[in-house]
Amino acid sequence: MNVYAPHLRLTCASVATAALLSACSTTGPAFAPVSLGTDPAAACARLGTPIPASLIGLPSGAASIDSTRLTQPVALSVADRGPTPAARITPATPAHCQVLGRIAPLDPKAPPILFQVNLPLQWNGRSVQYGGGGFNGTLINALGLIPAARFDQPTPLAQGFVTYGTDSGHQNAPGVPPQAFAANDEALVNFAHASYKKVRDVAVALMQQAYGRSPAKLYFVGSSEGGREGLTMAQRYPNDFDGIFSRVPVINWTALQFAGTRNGLATMDGGWMRPAQVQLVHDAVLASCDAADGLADGVVSDFAGCRTRFDVMKLRCAAGQGGDVCLSDAQVRAVQTLHSPYRMPFALTNGVTEYPGWGVSGEATPAFGPTGGWNAWWLGTSAPAQPPQPTNGIAWFYGSGAVQHFYARDPAFDVRNFKPENFAARIGQVSALMDATDPDLTAFSARGGKLMLLENMADYAQSPYVGIRYYESVVARMGQGSVDRFFKLYTAPGVDHVGSGAPANADILPALVAWVERGQAPAGLQLFEQPVVPPFAAARSRPLCEWPLWPRYRAGDAAQAASFECIK
């Protein structure tokens, strides 16, 4: 471990660098700070009492505390780990009271819900709940950067927020498919929504014990599955959070599993592509679309227009041609399948009938760990197998496993024979639990909640056009004027699911806090492309445009956001 800076001790006032101080001042204390006490170790130890089920707003067992400890500060360091750029950074962490515990299930056969709550020694009166990822099953410690955060920002905990996370109510085990927990009904409901609500209520009870008062403002941040969780909180529990940031959320969860499985099936029987052929498509997309935004810089900013400009048929092998310089008919059909919508034979919850196709750009985005572009999410290093193999694309591994464990409820089911109409009743049940597609956010808006949604437009884990469709469904339901007062949708061109490929980092949490607490709607936000090595100097920046706008180059330094304008 290479240690770079032992700063960030307790509060923003002690942050050493100007960039971090600026980030802190944006969220400056609107509430009188509260101390954990003159003897933090003793105060931390007193938090070991169980929390009764009566303090949890859903039917539940009680919460027990496994351990409490006063931690020592951790210096900023860089570790060679993934899967995301942000995960390669171990941010500076102040001394705090770490509480580990579990919420007992009602069904004795269901797993407990594990949680971690981090209590700063000097509290700013706010809290941040972190969402999970994938199928969860791993405890989220809520110590890292929030999704899409600039690397030179302090973590919420270092700014004085209480932070907390959960494993969503099941624990992964070696050799066991990550979807196997769905065989237990309570575990599935916990994964769908209940665990996040329950842990939120337990965390509030712990804050009351530790500081003598409830949080003045509560925030939720999440990416991918965690982004779905954030939207689920706005839809199901509109009174529980004041501000929510949802990044690349897997909103239309049920149809995504089927679409991912369909896309994998399309690469069987000759449709699978080698990395050199992926690069061929990637280069062809750039040739068709890169300069359309006024600048040939490797980023397709007019992502929607590129969907009509790029024609995969132009890469079709001519008679007698082959190898990595063209695509076979089966490969062309596979790409067309990826880009086309997946249509359900019946409506899912909230009347949803299809999953939009994926977009173009970022096909050969380099991977951080296991993730990046087609080679990670769609294709893997070998064609899809039954049963799924670790070398297969992530979408196939996730989607086919979900078909087996969530819908067919048969771990040995051959997904090549899957027809949704044969499982309509079960699909309806799971869709009602998992799909965060309810467009009626009236209750969340009415109590002052604010929602920021960010879609990365080179995302192949989920289609970014799902988030766009969801936003448009909310506008259709509530009206543009009403939506503008509480809901912002942003798009990041050229950025993949995990935040690589183009400028991807922004001052999201400060903007969300200012909107919630001071009524200052986000404006002038920028995306930064930063290395993971301090001092994290930005290589280039772009304006973070609200949908349906996208950044077009005007003139000046191409590395500066000021040289671009958001246009429609």
Side-chain angles (χ1 to χ4, degrees):
M1 180 180 292
N2 296 318
V3 176
Y4 289 93
H7 57 286
L8 288 181
R9 287 156 53 190
L10 293 180
T11 66
C12 284
S14 65
V15 174
T17 68
L20 291 178
L21 187 59
S22 173
C24 289
S25 63
T26 307
T27 62
F31 318 107
V34 178
S35 171
L36 196 59
T38 56
D39 187 350
C44 188
R46 285 195 294 269
L47 299 176
T49 22
I51 296 170
S54 59
L55 295 181
I56 300 173
L58 291 174
S60 176
S64 58
I65 306 303
D66 294 334
S67 68
T68 64
R69 71 182 181 96
L70 188 67
T71 70
Q72 295 302 308
V74 175
L76 170 68
S77 64
V78 174
D80 185 15
R81 56 190 173 89
T84 72
R88 297 172 68 191
I89 298 168
T90 300
T93 303
H96 62 279
C97 176
Q98 179 191 93
V99 181
L100 297 174
R102 63 191 62 223
I103 302 173
L106 296 175
D107 175 4
K109 295 182 180 179
I113 301 169
L114 303 185
F115 61 83
Q116 177 167 331
V117 179
N118 308 303
L119 301 156
L121 305 192
Q122 297 291 330
W123 185 39
N124 66 13
R126 309 175 180 92
S127 71
V128 176
Q129 182 167 355
Y130 285 52
F135 288 93
N136 287 333
T138 300
L139 179 60
I140 302 299
N141 63 26
L143 293 173
L145 298 169
I146 74 162
R150 286 172 52 176
F151 300 153
D152 54 351
Q153 283 186 353
T155 64
L157 180 62
Q159 296 180 48
F161 290 79
V162 169
T163 66
Y164 51 101
T166 177
D167 65 353
S168 84
H170 63 275
Q171 297 79 46
N172 292 335
V176 179
Q179 306 93 342
F181 72 90
N184 182 277
D185 288 341
E186 185 171 346
L188 178 54
V189 171
N190 282 334
F191 173 62
H193 63 88
S195 66
Y196 321 111
K197 161 64 174 172
K198 292 178 182 180
V199 168
R200 178 260 185 208
D201 291 351
V202 167
V204 169
L206 283 168
M207 286 179 252
Q208 290 170 333
Q209 289 183 27
Y211 304 110
R213 74 182 195 198
S214 298
K217 297 295 179 184
L218 297 95
Y219 297 89
F220 192 106
V221 297
S223 181
S224 190
E225 160 58 24
R228 182 198 70 85
E229 294 160 15
L231 286 173
T232 296
M233 296 298 99
Q235 295 167 18
R236 289 183 180 269
Y237 306 107
N239 296 318
D240 280 4
F241 292 95
D242 301 283
I244 294 172
F245 172 49
S246 173
R247 173 179 174 268
V248 296
V250 288
I251 302 172
N252 186 356
W253 196 90
T254 293
L256 170 60
Q257 311 311 316
F258 301 158
T261 302
R262 175 206 64 172
N263 296 345
L265 291 170
T267 65
M268 291 182 173
D269 302 322
W272 187 81
M273 282 162 273
R274 297 177 293 278
Q277 292 173 305
V278 173
Q279 188 67 50
L280 176 74
V281 178
H282 179 95
D283 293 343
V285 168
L286 291 180
S288 300
C289 305
D290 187 7
D293 54 16
L295 181 69
D297 61 347
V299 178
V300 175
S301 294
D302 183 12
F303 44 82
C306 189
R307 298 182 89 188
T308 60
R309 279 190 290 270
F310 171 70
D311 183 4
V312 70
M313 285 295 292
K314 293 180 180 179
L315 300 179
R316 182 172 176 262
C317 293
Q321 193 181 25
D324 292 336
V325 298
C326 61
L327 301 181
S328 69
D329 287 350
Q331 291 168 331
V332 167
R333 286 193 297 272
V335 175
Q336 292 171 331
T337 298
L338 179 73
H339 290 162
S340 66
Y342 174 87
R343 295 185 172 90
M344 292 291 301
F346 49 83
L348 300 172
T349 191
N350 300 307
V352 174
T353 57
E354 73 172 33
Y355 193 89
W358 276 254
V360 289
S361 79
E363 292 79 6
T365 298
F368 282 96
T371 58
W374 284 6
N375 292 319
W377 292 103
W378 183 27
L379 300 171
T381 57
S382 66
Q386 180 62 30
Q389 300 299 309
T391 56
N392 297 157
I394 299 171
W396 171 259
F397 183 79
Y398 278 6
S400 60
V403 167
Q404 292 171 324
H405 293 276
F406 280 69
Y407 304 103
R409 305 196 101 174
D410 177 2
F413 183 79
D414 189 336
V415 298
R416 292 171 293 186
N417 301 322
F418 180 70
K419 294 181 180 179
E421 50 270 36
N422 294 341
F423 300 92
R426 177 61 181 172
I427 289 172
Q429 294 169 357
V430 176
S431 176
L433 282 174
M434 291 298 305
D435 296 350
T437 54
D438 186 352
D440 187 2
L441 297 176
T442 303
F444 179 73
S445 172
R447 52 94 60 192
K450 306 299 183 188
L451 171 62
M452 297 174 69
L453 193 157
L454 173 61
E455 286 287 8
N456 294 344
M457 300 312 296
D459 187 353
Y460 291 102
Q462 59 96 35
S463 171
Y465 292 93
V466 177
I468 292 171
R469 284 197 181 181
Y470 175 70
Y471 172 82
E472 291 174 342
S473 74
V474 177
V475 170
R477 178 65 177 261
M478 300 180 64
Q480 189 69 62
S482 296
V483 171
D484 287 345
R485 288 192 285 271
F486 80 97
F487 186 3
K488 301 285 186 182
L489 168 63
Y490 299 92
T491 54
V495 182
D496 77 348
H497 191 66
V498 301
S500 55
N505 300 341
D507 293 324
I508 296 293
L509 184 58
L512 183 59
V513 169
W515 197 12
V516 168
E517 299 178 15
R518 298 195 291 277
Q520 298 174 0
L525 292 175
Q526 296 182 14
L527 291 167
F528 297 89
E529 188 171 41
Q530 299 174 287
V532 295
V533 178
F536 310 116
R540 54 181 174 171
S541 60
R542 295 287 185 272
L544 179 56
C545 300
E546 284 188 58
W547 172 259
L549 306 181
W550 55 273
R552 178 176 175 80
Y553 176 71
R554 295 182 302 174
D557 185 351
Q560 300 299 317
S563 301
F564 295 77
E565 61 181 343
C566 293
I567 69 167
K568 186 173 181 178

